[in-house]
Amino acid sequence: DSGVTQTPKHLITATGQRVTLRCSPRSGDLSVYWYQQSLDQGLQFLIQYYNGEERAKGNILERFSAQQFPDLHSELNLSSLELGDSALYFCASSAQGLTYNEQFFGPGTRLTVL
Amino acid sequence: QQQVKQSPQSLIVQKGGISIINCAYENTAFDYFPWYQQFPGKGPALLIAIRPDVSEKKEGRFTISFNKSAKQFSLHIMDSQPGDSATYFCAASGVDGGSQGNLIFGKGTKLSVKP
């Protein structure tokens, strides 16, 4: 158990809908990362927050947004969902968000868009 | 320049054998190279990592070999066990050069160790 929690574990929804994925980092970790894992694209970095502020953006679509709250939990919002958004979404956390900090991954949320 | 290329896609090894997974990168600004292990239904977990100031790092049965001039690094699993059956991802990051310190992952290698 990495200490990172993600809810829900599974999510099934329809095209055009909006969903929110939630992540609680390990106790004391200030940095949260979101990744998308799909069979064709592999593990892709989406976005990073550090202590409530956006720090870096990766391959995140404009339909997707995220935020980190004062209690350090984070939410990833996915809107206008398309079939191709079906994937595993992982949250990871690290102590300070520095390059060499180990990232601890949560168990993921499996999103299925029908 | 941001890609990390990983091979093979899948690997079958007999128990007790050596598993070798290779990765190559192009961005010379990368300066941190971790390997992650992922079991089905779980998130990736850090296995071992190396920085380019050393050519090899060993932790138990796991060794990273790093060739800076060739821009390649590899994971060796000695005495492979059925419990090592998982998907392995190499990754790279660097503060400069665009990744902003965030991990760029290879596509993964599915390892099966036969008893």
Side-chain angles (χ1 to χ4, degrees):
Chain A
D1 185 359
S2 67
V4 177
T5 60
Q6 288 187 250
T7 57
K9 193 166 184 176
H10 300 278
L11 199 47
I12 301 174
T13 188
T15 54
Q17 294 298 305
R18 172 190 168 95
V19 297
T20 298
L21 314 184
R22 183 188 167 103
C23 167
S24 292
R26 289 188 324 154
S27 177
D29 282 359
L30 299 178
S31 198
V32 168
Y33 310 77
W34 286 98
Y35 291 87
Q36 180 192 59
Q37 185 175 39
S38 61
L39 279 175
D40 54 341
Q41 295 294 325
L43 258 171
Q44 294 226 308
F45 166 69
L46 296 178
I47 196 164
Q48 179 199 2
Y49 279 82
Y50 177 74
N51 203 19
E53 300 287 328
E54 180 184 306
R55 173 168 278 191
K57 260 184 175 178
N59 299 316
I60 188 166
L61 299 171
E62 284 193 11
R63 301 183 283 109
F64 295 1
S65 65
Q67 53 184 328
Q68 186 179 28
F69 295 87
D71 67 352
L72 300 178
H73 91 271
S74 178
E75 293 181 357
L76 178 68
N77 301 296
L78 315 176
S79 61
S80 302
L81 285 167
E82 301 175 0
L83 295 177
D85 297 328
S86 296
L88 263 170
Y89 290 85
F90 287 104
C91 165
S93 74
S94 68
Q96 295 179 8
L98 300 177
T99 304
Y100 313 123
N101 285 165
E102 177 178 353
Q103 293 186 26
F104 294 85
F105 281 74
T109 292
R110 182 173 292 280
L111 174 66
T112 302
V113 182
L114 301 175
Chain B
Q1 266 218 328
Q2 291 293 62
Q3 281 188 333
V4 176
K5 294 182 180 178
Q6 184 172 346
S7 64
Q9 269 190 315
S10 62
L11 183 60
I12 300 174
V13 172
Q14 289 296 123
K15 179 182 174 183
I18 303 173
S19 304
I20 301 174
I21 305 170
N22 301 298
C23 284
Y25 63 98
E26 295 179 358
N27 190 337
T28 55
F30 287 151
D31 58 3
Y32 174 64
F33 303 90
W35 285 88
Y36 278 77
Q37 179 188 55
Q38 185 179 25
F39 292 103
K42 304 286 187 183
L46 180 67
L47 192 62
I48 186 172
I50 197 168
R51 290 168 63 173
D53 50 346
V54 296
S55 61
E56 186 175 282
K57 183 174 180 180
K58 184 175 180 179
E59 288 184 2
R61 297 184 293 109
F62 302 92
T63 300
I64 299 179
S65 297
F66 184 79
N67 186 328
K68 189 173 182 178
S69 60
K71 292 184 283 185
Q72 293 175 348
F73 58 110
S74 60
L75 176 69
H76 295 235
I77 306 174
M78 312 300 287
D79 188 26
S80 298
Q81 299 296 312
D84 296 330
S85 298
T87 300
Y88 293 81
F89 294 91
C90 63
S93 72
V95 176
D96 298 320
S99 78
Q100 298 172 303
N102 291 296
L103 295 172
I104 309 296
F105 282 90
K107 289 287 179 79
T109 296
K110 187 172 182 179
L111 171 66
S112 295
V113 181
K114 299 299 183 187

